[in-house]
């Protein structure tokens, strides 16, 4: 199937909320990790989301170029081509973009999609994220409202973050404290500024103790009830049941019970990065350790081309990551839910 159209993406998100499941949103940094994600979704018979961060986009442009827009556009062009061969719907997304990178990342990419839509094409990306967690809520929502207008012109879904995700990602680090929990008042302010779809479609990453990176269960207390309370408060004010489409960030180490509870409260997208990075790299380390005298020219020997050919260890890496994507689909209840 081709990359999901705006209409197909909207249907994906609606089906997820109605069915109390979520799509894994897999961060990728290369053609190999993209192919691994696509295979994982196909094996799980789940539609899905593939995303690239600012750092990932820089990396994709080439280590000596470091141009986020070039890298993101190249990634999207490649994804549009190779995704055609997989029997699932895939949406392309850009991950966390802080204020100082909006003009170098999200806004130019939105401009590309707007131009494509004017020419009768589909947008380049189906959604973009504005990460305003480092600025005051009022400023966060003011910028979000501006971006939502621009996103709507390009048939793009906007993702915003109201609250703070702890830990570190792409050089952005936040302390682990009470700021990790979005308040009901913040949720109501968000809807007052952005509406419930009439100004454009958006998803909200409301925080309930989330932390980026590697941590063990118990280090941070997740409170999925926060999501329930905000959904109820917004729903009561606007006369709608579970009106918000929510996003779960920083899920590494979360208990399955916590993940499933969050799905029940309207989470439709969960970011997966740390775990899939490890599952991509682990088979490579295994291959190198087991075949060190083949991948290296030891004691004047010539090595073994069949062992150091990047395709050999690359296939193992992709298989490891694809298996982790299948596991994520199972945890998020998206297995077997692909649209026809």
């Amino acid at each position: 199937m081709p990359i999901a159209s705006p209409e197909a993406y909207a249907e994906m998100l609606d089906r997820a909320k109605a069915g109390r499941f979520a799509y894994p949103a897999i961060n990728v940094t290369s053609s190999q990790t993209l192919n691994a994600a696509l295979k994982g979704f196909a094996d799980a018979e789940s539609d899905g989301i593939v995303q690239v961060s600012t750092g990932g986009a820089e990396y994709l442009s080439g280590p000596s170029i470091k141009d986020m827009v070039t890298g993101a556009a190249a990634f999207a062009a490649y994804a549009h081509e190779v995704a055609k061969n997989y029997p699932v719907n895939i949406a392309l997304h850009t991950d966390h973009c802080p204020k100082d990178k909006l003009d170098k990342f999200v806004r130019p990419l939105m401009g590309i999609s707007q131009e494509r839509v004017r020419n009768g094409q589909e947008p380049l990306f189906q959604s973009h994220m504005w990460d305003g967690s480092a600025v005051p809520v009022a400023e966060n929502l003011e910028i979000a409202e501006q971006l939502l207008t621009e996103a709507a012109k390009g048939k793009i879904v906007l993702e915003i973050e109201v609250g703070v995700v702890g830990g570190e990602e792409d050089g952005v680090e936040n302390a682990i404290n009470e700021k990790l929990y979005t308040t009901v008042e913040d949720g109501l302010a968000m809807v007052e500024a952005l509406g419930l779809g009439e100004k454009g479609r958006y998803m909200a990453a409301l925080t309930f103790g989330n932390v980026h990176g590697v941590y063990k269960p118990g280090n941070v207390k997740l409170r999925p009830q926060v999501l329930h309370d905000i959904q109820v408060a917004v729903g009561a004010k606007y006369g709608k049941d579970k009106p918000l489409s929510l996003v779960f960030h920083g899920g590494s180490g979360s208990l399955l019970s916590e993940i499933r509870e969050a799905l029940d409260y309207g989470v439709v997208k969960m970011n997966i990065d740390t775990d899939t990075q490890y599952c991509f790299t682990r088979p490579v380390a295994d291959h190198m350790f087991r075949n060190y005298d083949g991948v290296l020219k030891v004691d004047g020997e010539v090595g073994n081309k069949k062992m150091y050919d990047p395709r050999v260890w690359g296939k193992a890496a992709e298989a490891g990551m694809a298996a982790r994507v299948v596991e994520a689909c199972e945890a998020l209840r998206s297995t077997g839910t692909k649209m026809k």
Side-chain angles (χ1 to χ4, degrees):
M1 295 179 183
I3 292 295
S5 67
E7 295 76 20
Y9 191 30
E11 184 178 351
M12 284 170 57
L13 298 178
D14 289 341
R15 292 176 75 247
K17 187 161 66 169
R20 297 192 173 191
F21 65 89
Y23 298 106
I26 307 299
N27 280 73
V28 301
T29 54
S30 65
S31 60
Q32 287 184 303
T33 50
L34 170 63
N35 287 331
L38 295 174
K39 185 178 188 304
F41 285 124
D43 288 349
E45 297 188 341
S46 169
D47 301 317
I49 300 169
V50 177
Q51 60 190 25
V52 61
S53 66
T54 56
E58 270 194 357
Y59 182 79
L60 281 158
S61 74
S64 64
I65 303 301
K66 295 185 177 181
D67 184 89
M68 293 180 287
V69 174
T70 295
F75 152 73
Y78 183 79
H80 275 268
E81 193 62 37
V82 297
K84 296 176 184 177
N85 299 313
Y86 292 86
V88 289
N89 297 279
I90 300 296
L92 304 182
H93 178 77
T94 61
D95 202 6
H96 293 268
C97 182
K99 182 181 178 181
D100 65 338
K101 293 182 179 179
L102 283 173
D103 289 339
K104 297 179 286 186
F105 190 51
V106 163
R107 287 190 174 112
L109 290 172
M110 282 188 176
I112 292 172
S113 287
Q114 289 170 356
E115 181 65 23
R116 287 170 61 96
V117 169
R118 283 194 293 268
N119 292 332
Q121 300 172 283
E122 302 287 9
L124 188 63
F125 282 84
Q126 285 61 61
S127 51
H128 294 293
M129 182 190 176
W130 148 236
D131 183 353
S133 60
V135 302
V137 173
E139 183 183 1
N140 180 353
L141 296 178
E142 181 181 354
I143 294 173
E145 190 171 6
Q146 297 166 1
L147 291 172
L148 186 59
T149 298
E150 295 304 309
K153 294 177 183 176
K155 298 183 178 180
I156 297 162
V157 176
L158 182 69
E159 179 184 332
I160 70 166
E161 184 170 308
V162 179
V164 175
V165 176
E168 186 273 336
E169 181 174 64
D170 271 355
V172 178
E173 187 168 358
N174 291 306
I176 298 174
N177 53 38
E178 278 301 309
K179 292 183 179 180
L180 302 188
Y181 305 95
T182 306
T183 66
V184 168
E185 291 73 23
D186 288 343
L188 289 169
M190 175 187 73
V191 176
E192 184 175 348
L194 304 183
L196 287 173
E198 66 276 10
K199 296 182 180 181
R201 182 148 191 166
Y202 67 94
M203 297 179 282
L206 306 180
T207 58
F208 52 103
N210 320 60
V211 175
H212 286 134
V214 183
Y215 69 96
K216 295 180 179 179
N219 285 12
V220 175
K221 178 61 177 176
L222 289 176
R223 304 176 194 162
Q225 183 69 27
V226 167
L227 305 181
H228 172 267
D229 294 345
I230 294 172
Q231 287 277 30
V232 168
V234 173
K237 182 173 180 178
Y238 293 92
K240 294 186 177 182
D241 178 49
K242 207 161 63 174
L244 301 173
S245 295
L246 304 178
V247 180
F248 188 157
H249 287 218
S252 296
S254 300
L255 298 173
L256 182 60
S257 59
E258 295 169 334
I259 293 172
R260 294 278 174 84
E261 185 179 357
L263 302 184
D264 291 340
Y265 299 151
V267 166
V268 298
K269 172 181 180 280
M270 180 174 174
N271 291 8
I272 313 286
D273 187 15
T274 300
D275 292 348
T276 46
Q277 284 181 347
Y278 180 79
C279 290
F280 183 86
T281 300
R282 178 65 180 80
V284 180
D286 181 72
H287 177 86
M288 299 303 173
F289 282 126
R290 290 179 181 275
N291 301 286
Y292 74 95
D293 55 347
V295 298
L296 299 176
K297 297 180 179 181
V298 179
D299 295 332
E301 295 298 324
V302 296
N304 184 342
K305 184 180 183 300
K306 291 183 179 180
M307 292 294 102
Y308 61 74
D309 184 336
R311 291 171 294 183
V312 175
W313 50 264
K315 288 177 183 176
E318 291 183 30
M321 180 172 165
R324 184 61 182 84
V325 173
V326 171
E327 182 183 334
C329 291
E330 182 65 28
L332 298 182
R333 302 178 181 148
S334 72
T335 302
T337 64
K338 70 175 184 177
M339 299 191 302
K340 304 300 182 183

